[in-house]
Amino acid sequence: MLSYICRRLLLIFPTLFGIMVLNFMIIQLAPGGPVERTLAELQGRGVSATARLSGAGGGDTLAPPNGSTSLSQNAASADASGAASRYRGAQGLDPDLIKAIEKQYGFDQPLWTRFWHMMGNYARLDFGTSFFRDRAVVDLVKEKLPVSISLGLWTTLLVYLISIPLGIAKARRDGSAFDSWSSGLIVVGYAIPGFLFAVALLIVFAGGSYLTWFPLRGLASDGAASWPWWRQGIDYLWHITLPTIALVIGGFASLTMLTKNSFVDEIRKQYVLTARAKGLSERQTLYRHVFRNAMLLVIAGFPAALLSILFTGSVLIEVIFSLDGLGLLGFEAAINRDYPVIFGTLFVLTLLGLLLNLLSDIIYTVIDPRIHFGQKT
C-alpha cells in the first residue's frame, strides 16, 4: 500500500502540470483579457492618462508613459501610420500606452515564457497578485476558503444523513408504494437545479414576497463580531440555513439512488440467503452483513462528494446569497479576467482534488481490507 501511495503522489505532478497547460491555453485563447478590460475602462470612463493603474505586483502603480493629460490628447498624438492593434477598443490610443499596460500585466512576454514563469512561481507556492484587487492571491484564498469549507461540510453532512437512511429504506421496500413516490420526489430534486431552489427559498423565506424568517445575504449580522460566542454561533446557523438547504435539495438524489442500488445488489447475493437460512433476523442480516459491503462505494466516495459540493455546486449559491467564498471569488475573477486569481485557485483546487481522490482509495482499503492496490507478492 505504501508503494501505491508513493506512485500516486508522484503521478500528481504530471497530472497537475497537464491540467494547468490545458486550462492556460484555453483561457489565453478566449476573447477578452485584462488588457482589453483596462482599455475599456479607460475609454468608457474617460479616465485621464495620468490616472494611475493598480499594478499586478504588490501595489505598484503605473502612469502612461508619454506624459499626456487626457485620452483625447493621446488619441490626437497617436501615430496615424501605426498598424491596427490586436486589442479590441484600442483604436485611437497611443501605442506606447498600450505597450505599458501590456508590460504591467506581463503580456509583453511570449505565451510560453509567461506559462513557465507562472509554474515556477507555483512550485514555490507563490500565486502572484490579483490584477484588480491588488492583493496576494494566497491571501484571498485564505480569506474566502473558510466560507466555502463551512458551506461544503454542512451540506455534505446533511446529504449523507438524509441519503443513507432513505436509500436503505428504499432498498428494503424495493418496488413498494414508498419506493415509487420517494423516487418521484428524488427525480424532481435531481432535475431542478439547486440555484432555482435557492431563488425560491429567498422569495418565500427571506423577505422576497412572503416571510422574513431568514436573512437575505452573508453569514453574519451587522455588529455580530462584538456578540458573545454562543450568540454568534446561533447567528451563523441562522444565516447558513437557506444556502445549505438549497444545496442539499439538489445534491441528495444521486447519493440516495447509489445507496439503494448498492443495498439491493447486496441483498440479492448468496451470503444473504445463507444468513437468513441460519435464522438471523432481517435487521441483523442487513446491518451485520449487508451494510459493510453495500456502504463501500458510498463512504469511500465522501471526499469526492465533498469536493464536488465545495467547489462546483456552491458557486451559484454563493453568488445568490452573497456569501464571500471561493465560488464568488472565482466568479468575479472570471468576469474581470483576473488571471492570477483564476489560475491560482485552479491550481489549489486541482491539487486538492487529486489528493482527495487518493484519500478515497485509502478509505477503500480501510473499509474493506480485501481491496489491495499494491502489487501482489
Side-chain angles (χ1 to χ4, degrees), residues 294-373:
M295 289 302 295
L296 178 62
L297 290 176
V298 177
I299 297 177
F302 182 86
L306 174 60
L307 184 68
S308 176
I309 294 173
L310 192 59
F311 300 119
T312 57
S314 64
V315 173
L316 288 178
I317 301 300
E318 289 185 13
V319 174
I320 292 172
F321 288 96
S322 299
L323 303 178
D324 199 13
L326 281 180
L328 185 59
L329 176 66
F331 175 79
E332 293 176 347
I335 294 297
N336 295 325
R337 300 296 194 271
D338 197 343
Y339 288 172
V341 175
I342 293 175
F343 290 123
T345 53
L346 173 67
F347 182 90
V348 173
L349 298 184
T350 302
L351 179 60
L352 182 59
L354 294 172
L355 293 175
L356 286 177
N357 284 333
L358 175 59
L359 180 60
S360 295
D361 290 343
I362 296 175
I363 292 177
Y364 272 115
T365 62
V366 172
I367 297 175
D368 191 347
R370 294 173 299 175
I371 297 177
H372 191 273
F373 291 105

Side-chain angles (χ1 to χ4, degrees), residues 57-350:
D60 295 336
T61 56
L62 171 68
N66 61 352
S68 301
T69 58
S70 67
L71 284 176
S72 60
Q73 291 174 341
N74 280 333
S77 62
D79 187 358
S81 62
S85 174
R86 65 178 178 273
Y87 298 113
R88 283 193 238 174
Q91 292 78 9
L93 296 181
D94 192 332
D96 291 335
L97 173 62
I98 298 174
K99 290 180 180 179
I101 296 174
E102 286 182 326
K103 184 176 182 180
Q104 177 183 355
Y105 293 126
F107 279 70
D108 58 328
Q109 300 293 326
L111 187 66
W112 63 271
T113 302
R114 283 187 277 133
F115 175 76
W116 284 112
H117 179 71
M118 180 185 73
M119 294 305 297
N121 289 336
Y122 285 4
R124 301 190 300 270
L125 299 181
D126 178 11
F127 301 108
T129 303
S130 169
F131 285 160
F132 303 107
R133 291 174 179 260
D134 199 24
R135 292 185 58 191
V137 174
V138 65
D139 292 337
L140 289 173
V141 172
K142 288 180 180 179
E143 178 182 324
K144 314 299 183 182
L145 191 59
V147 175
S148 295
I149 289 179
S150 173
L151 183 60
L153 286 176
W154 280 113
T155 302
T156 306
L157 177 63
L158 290 177
V159 164
Y160 269 74
L161 289 177
I162 295 173
S163 299
I164 292 177
L166 181 58
I168 295 175
K170 286 174 64 62
R172 295 181 63 182
R173 299 169 177 84
D174 187 30
S176 65
F178 169 78
D179 182 39
S180 299
W181 67 257
S182 61
S183 295
L185 294 177
I186 289 172
V187 169
V188 172
Y190 184 77
I192 301 178
F195 71 88
L196 289 183
F197 285 115
V199 173
L201 290 173
L202 284 178
I203 294 174
V204 176
F205 298 107
S209 300
Y210 301 96
L211 305 173
T212 56
W213 290 354
F214 295 95
L216 185 63
R217 57 190 302 165
L219 284 181
S221 301
D222 295 336
S226 60
W227 295 351
W229 65 268
W230 59 268
R231 188 180 176 188
Q232 291 185 26
I234 295 175
D235 182 67
Y236 162 76
L237 294 176
W238 183 47
H239 280 77
I240 205 172
T241 298
L242 291 186
T244 302
I245 291 175
L247 283 173
V248 168
I249 291 177
F252 81 98
S254 58
L255 184 61
T256 300
M257 296 309 298
L258 175 63
T259 304
K260 177 201 170 181
N261 294 334
S262 297
F263 272 81
V264 169
D265 290 341
E266 292 296 325
I267 288 173
R268 294 172 179 173
K269 290 184 177 179
Q270 185 64 40
Y271 73 90
V272 177
L273 297 177
T274 303
R276 289 170 177 170
K278 290 181 177 180
L280 293 180
S281 66
E282 191 68 22
R283 185 179 183 86
Q284 289 176 322
T285 303
L286 182 65
Y287 291 101
R288 184 180 299 178
H289 297 281
V290 176
F291 187 84
R292 181 175 182 178
N293 294 326
M295 289 302 295
L296 178 62
L297 290 176
V298 177
I299 297 177
F302 182 86
L306 174 60
L307 184 68
S308 176
I309 294 173
L310 192 59
F311 300 119
T312 57
S314 64
V315 173
L316 288 178
I317 301 300
E318 289 185 13
V319 174
I320 292 172
F321 288 96
S322 299
L323 303 178
D324 199 13
L326 281 180
L328 185 59
L329 176 66
F331 175 79
E332 293 176 347
I335 294 297
N336 295 325
R337 300 296 194 271
D338 197 343
Y339 288 172
V341 175
I342 293 175
F343 290 123
T345 53
L346 173 67
F347 182 90
V348 173
L349 298 184
T350 302

